[in-house]
Amino acid sequence: MKIEFTGRHVEVTPAIRSHVESHFKKIEHIFNDSTARAHVIIDVEKGRHTGEIILSWRDHTLTTRVTNKDMYQ
């Protein structure tokens, strides 16, 4: 699976990158072909940490978004 990162108002550090990639390894067996792509967007604004994932696989697009106080949750 190819994972692309975008940071808005924040730098995507290697620690954040490895944290996200470790979570993707848990579901990697579901998206086992090379056509799966994930775009992870991390945004920090006024103390709110927002993470958005856009997952494209075959003919499907899955999108999720969460806002929290802690970047690693």
Side-chain angles (χ1 to χ4, degrees):
M1 176 183 304
K2 181 179 176 185
I3 303 173
E4 179 182 331
F5 291 89
T6 301
R8 295 183 182 151
H9 311 286
V10 67
E11 180 185 346
V12 180
T13 63
I16 294 172
R17 190 177 295 264
S18 70
H19 181 74
V20 171
E21 288 173 351
S22 70
H23 283 282
F24 270 106
K25 286 184 183 183
K26 295 176 184 177
I27 61 168
E28 191 172 65
H29 65 280
I30 298 170
F31 308 103
N32 56 2
D33 58 2
S34 63
T35 62
R37 291 186 341 253
H39 186 189
V40 178
I41 303 167
I42 299 170
D43 186 14
V44 176
E45 188 175 349
K46 295 184 181 177
R48 291 182 307 219
H49 300 256
T50 303
E52 182 177 358
I53 298 173
I54 303 168
L55 182 69
S56 300
W57 180 59
R58 296 185 182 170
D59 294 334
H60 306 287
T61 301
L62 306 169
T63 305
T64 185
R65 180 179 227 180
V66 65
T67 301
N68 206 331
K69 287 186 178 182
D70 186 14
M71 177 82 64
Y72 291 96
Q73 287 190 351

